[in-house]
Amino acid sequence: MVLEATMICIDNSEWMRNGDYSPSRFQAQADAVNLICGAKTQSNPENTVGVLTMAGKGVRVLVTPTSDLGKILACMHGLEIGGEMNLAAGIQVAQLALKHRQNKKQQQRIIVFAGSPVKFDKKVLEMIGRKLKKNSVALDVVNFGEEDEAKTEKLEALVAAVNNNDSSHIVHVPPGPSALSDVLISTPIFTGDGEGGSGFAAAAAAAAAGGAGFEFGVDPNLDPELALALRVSMEEERARQEAAAKKAAEEAAKQEKGEQSTSQDVNMTDTAKAGTSESENKATDLTDDENALLQQALAMSMDDSSSNIATRDTDMPEAAGDDQDLALALQLSVQDSMKDESSPADMSKLLADQSFVSSILASLPGVDPNDPSVKDLLASMQNQSEHKKDEDKEPKEEDKK
Amino acid sequence: MSAESASAIQRNQVDLLDFVDWSGVECLNQSGTHSLPNALKQGYREDEGLVLESDADEQLLIYIPFNQVVKLHSIIIKGPEEEGPKTVKLFSNREHMGFSNVNDFPPSDTAVLSEDNLKGKPVILKYVKFQNVRSLTVFVEDNQSSSDITKVQKIVLCGTTSSVHLMRLSGDAIL
């Protein structure tokens, strides 16, 4: 993840027409360049890459260091092959282009593809190398194409002169069955001095295959802030989805309740919620079908069979806020359930206490204790659920009248 | 009055090491093993054995930013007799210079170090040129014996910061 500005020097001389690398030396080189550009920009989004050609009419900068991958790939099209490679001039122009980079904090690197013979002296190249080292520019050389002992020796001397703490490398790629790019992937040119190299190389080879097994595709060592941000947003999303699912289930449950008098879902352990939902029901059903639903609520808490009470939890606080008495009722029911886990029995005792229930009902706005249906309700609290169903229908009809 | 203020300046001089912004300190052409902290950092520079060495040739370009504006009064450069620096050019407030453009700008000051300087005698600078220094670039052009490697054992920057100077002024006013 080093912040780097890179200049890639392409050899587009006549020697590149040769087909000993498939499909041709030039094409293999172009593929390798594309891969390197992708690798550099991926390892650090602020990295910039530029491209120049060394042969043809003269050294020509195709694109100055930029982080825009599209621009770089576009300039690789329509390149003409011809002329002779001018290595010294190419490196010097690359150095100049790097000197004028926008972000001075970037490290400077030059990558040279040397496919044709080198006509310069070893001494000249060593001087160039020393100058690069003095200005802390790193150099990577890809020695492919023409195989020439003198060429190899000169390039080795050049890299040795530049090399400072193993930041510069030279790679020899002989012609063979495997493509130039494939051979380069495993070299330090790609892996960048071993920093986060393996993770990146694997990703490059597998074409962005989820970051080589790291969670979220980002190596926490390489980019801890990004990994943390991804993890946090994943958890938030999960929580949000759960809440949404809960709400959806509640909505569904409410719909059901309106239709059936009692639901048969048993939730023995959530007896605390049973008590509270009863009070909650009292509040929410006031505006509607008060008595019917009220009856259902009481029946629910009487029975061990309560509806999917868990899903109604979130409505409770809102209900409580509306009514002080309701809050009191809530408190009482909660207290009761806390005292005894299996509190339906207690709850029924409480409800059986007529005076208590009457007082609660009286405090509820809109419920008249003298209402016959309410009286029926109170009377029927000890009855079976089927019996309550009938009574439930009665008040419904009454109210419809 | 002026004599008093001159001595006041010397009295208030501090070692500007505390105001160096270490995250931005750079040195071009330094050797990997003998690097700038050997000459600049508190513990290392006292050790005579630890020196800053040049690498590819005898020149060095040291860039020192400060975390506040300072006034530079003098510098001390210690080094060995033979390979110690000779011509030293100082540039104030020039960011990211390279060896190619050192000769494009006139330096704020130039010092030719003598043997005494290399033993620790401070070089008094043109104070007026270093009144509000945000960063200092030290260009070591050559060394005493024209050898391939320049060695610097210690660099000390002496001066004042604006806050100290203001305090001094207010003291005078009260009197």
Side-chain angles (χ1 to χ4, degrees):
Chain A
M1 289 281 283
V2 189
L3 186 56
E4 231 177 25
T6 309
M7 277 301 288
I8 303 184
C9 303
I10 294 181
D11 182 0
N12 60 333
S13 61
E14 288 286 351
W15 281 264
M16 291 300 109
R17 289 189 200 278
N18 198 331
D20 51 0
Y21 296 78
S22 63
S24 75
R25 284 182 185 172
F26 185 72
Q27 199 50 48
Q29 193 188 194
D31 292 340
V33 170
N34 291 343
L35 213 56
I36 291 181
C37 293
K40 293 288 177 192
T41 43
Q42 207 179 39
S43 78
N44 186 331
E46 285 189 53
N47 279 352
T48 55
V49 181
V51 178
L52 62 78
T53 53
M54 292 190 285
K57 286 208 182 116
V59 174
R60 188 161 72 97
V61 176
L62 297 175
V63 59
T64 55
T66 170
S67 52
D68 183 0
L69 193 57
K71 211 164 156 191
I72 301 167
L73 298 180
C75 80
M76 294 290 296
H77 286 139
L79 283 181
E80 292 189 354
I81 299 181
E84 256 184 38
M85 172 179 82
N86 186 343
L87 185 60
I91 293 180
Q92 282 165 348
V93 172
Q95 196 185 346
L96 199 63
L98 287 174
K99 195 171 92 147
H100 293 293
R101 65 196 185 285
Q102 276 186 326
N103 182 358
K104 301 286 181 193
K105 288 206 193 290
Q106 289 167 326
Q107 304 275 339
Q108 305 172 70
R109 181 173 290 273
I110 301 177
I111 303 181
V112 174
F113 282 85
S116 44
V118 176
K119 59 181 188 235
F120 294 95
D121 280 342
K122 198 161 123 180
K123 289 243 163 26
V124 172
L125 292 177
E126 277 176 358
M127 251 174 48
I128 293 176
R130 271 201 297 273
K131 198 163 152 233
L132 288 177
K133 184 155 83 152
K134 192 174 166 188
N135 288 291
S136 75
V137 179
L139 178 69
D140 289 333
V141 174
V142 179
N143 180 13
F144 72 111
E146 290 299 308
E147 303 232 324
D148 186 2
E149 264 199 32
K151 176 192 178 201
T152 308
E153 204 187 312
K154 287 173 185 175
L155 293 174
E156 293 266 6
L158 171 62
V159 174
V162 185
N163 197 4
N164 185 5
N165 278 349
D166 273 341
S167 62
S168 303
H169 318 95
I170 177 166
V171 177
H172 307 276
V173 187
S178 51
L180 184 61
S181 346
D182 293 339
V183 176
L184 283 181
I185 285 183
S186 53
T187 60
I189 292 182
F190 258 84
T191 58
D193 305 338
E195 299 176 3
S198 57
F200 163 70
F214 290 120
E215 192 186 31
F216 304 123
V218 173
D219 180 358
N221 294 326
L222 289 183
D223 199 347
E225 291 156 351
L226 182 58
L228 181 66
L230 285 169
R231 202 183 313 130
V232 167
S233 66
M234 179 69 90
E235 282 168 14
E236 277 177 5
E237 179 68 22
R238 220 179 274 141
R240 205 163 46 78
Q241 278 180 356
E242 275 172 30
K246 238 191 207 175
K247 229 178 191 167
E250 287 167 23
E251 296 293 315
K254 264 191 180 163
Q255 302 283 346
E256 281 178 16
K257 275 227 76 179
E259 286 157 2
Q260 301 171 22
S261 58
T262 51
S263 340
Q264 297 300 317
D265 294 353
V266 183
N267 200 345
M268 295 281 288
T269 55
D270 290 344
T271 48
K273 294 161 188 169
T276 53
S277 67
E278 172 224 308
S279 318
E280 170 237 333
N281 281 345
K282 281 181 187 163
T284 53
D285 298 335
L286 285 177
T287 52
D288 287 38
D289 224 352
E290 309 167 343
N291 299 324
L293 294 172
L294 186 53
Q295 184 143 29
Q296 284 167 26
L298 293 174
M300 248 174 28
S301 42
M302 290 309 305
D303 275 345
D304 285 342
S305 54
S306 28
S307 68
N308 24 352
I309 293 158
T311 60
R312 308 190 71 128
D313 275 357
T314 52
D315 292 344
M316 218 209 18
E318 296 149 357
D322 294 337
D323 196 333
Q324 293 275 17
D325 300 311
L326 184 56
L328 181 61
L330 275 170
Q331 241 181 342
L332 284 167
S333 41
V334 169
Q335 273 169 11
D336 281 335
S337 40
M338 272 173 10
K339 280 176 200 162
D340 186 1
E341 280 303 303
S342 56
S343 72
D346 285 346
M347 194 53 64
S348 51
K349 270 193 220 156
L350 198 59
L351 291 170
D353 186 1
Q354 281 257 9
S355 54
F356 171 70
V357 176
S358 319
S359 67
I360 289 183
L361 289 177
S363 64
L364 294 172
V367 176
D368 183 0
N370 296 325
D371 194 349
S373 50
V374 177
K375 276 194 173 158
D376 281 342
L377 170 74
L378 291 172
S380 70
M381 274 192 316
Q382 308 292 336
N383 293 344
Q384 300 298 324
S385 51
E386 296 90 16
H387 199 54
K388 282 174 215 154
K389 256 187 198 160
D390 296 336
E391 293 180 351
D392 191 28
K393 281 177 189 157
E394 275 183 32
K396 256 188 184 164
E397 288 169 13
E398 279 187 29
D399 283 344
K400 275 174 187 166
K401 283 180 201 163
Chain B
M1 185 63 188
S2 61
E4 194 185 286
S5 55
S7 58
I9 291 168
Q10 275 164 8
R11 252 187 288 146
N12 284 342
Q13 257 183 65
V14 291
D15 183 345
L16 295 175
L17 190 63
D18 298 329
F19 305 106
V20 170
D21 173 14
W22 290 103
S23 65
V25 167
E26 282 170 14
C27 181
L28 287 184
N29 199 31
Q30 65 180 334
S31 140
T33 45
H34 300 88
S35 55
L36 185 59
N38 285 354
L40 211 49
K41 275 210 167 162
Q42 187 54 49
Y44 300 123
R45 65 185 186 179
E46 307 306 330
D47 184 348
E48 303 248 338
L50 292 176
V51 292
L52 161 67
E53 276 184 22
S54 68
D55 197 1
D57 62 10
E58 74 281 4
Q59 295 184 338
L60 283 167
L61 193 60
I62 305 168
Y63 172 69
I64 303 171
F66 298 100
N67 54 25
Q68 57 172 286
V69 176
V70 299
K71 300 173 200 291
L72 195 56
H73 175 261
S74 58
I75 67 171
I76 302 173
I77 299 184
K78 278 176 77 171
E81 248 180 69
E82 300 255 322
E83 292 107 343
K86 190 161 92 179
T87 313
V88 174
K89 292 186 175 165
L90 297 161
F91 300 84
S92 129
N93 295 336
R94 291 233 182 259
E95 314 277 302
H96 300 113
M97 292 188 80
F99 288 105
S100 47
N101 61 356
V102 273
N103 294 319
D104 293 345
F105 313 110
S108 307
D109 202 355
T110 311
V112 179
L113 301 179
S114 64
E115 266 194 42
D116 290 336
N117 294 125
L118 288 177
K119 293 214 167 71
K121 181 170 164 215
V123 179
I124 312 286
L125 303 170
K126 288 186 194 141
Y127 198 46
V128 289
K129 298 259 183 176
F130 293 98
Q131 281 301 297
N132 92 6
V133 177
R134 255 263 154 210
S135 72
L136 182 68
T137 305
V138 180
F139 173 47
V140 176
E141 201 166 2
D142 51 27
N143 56 39
Q144 300 283 336
S145 57
S146 301
S147 68
D148 276 340
I149 297 184
T150 304
K151 295 185 183 173
V152 181
Q153 192 256 309
K154 180 172 171 179
I155 299 176
V156 181
L157 306 166
C158 303
T160 62
T161 63
S162 339
S163 52
V164 174
H165 195 68
L166 284 172
M167 278 157 46
R168 183 62 218 163
L169 281 177
S170 62
D172 277 343
I174 290 170
L175 288 171

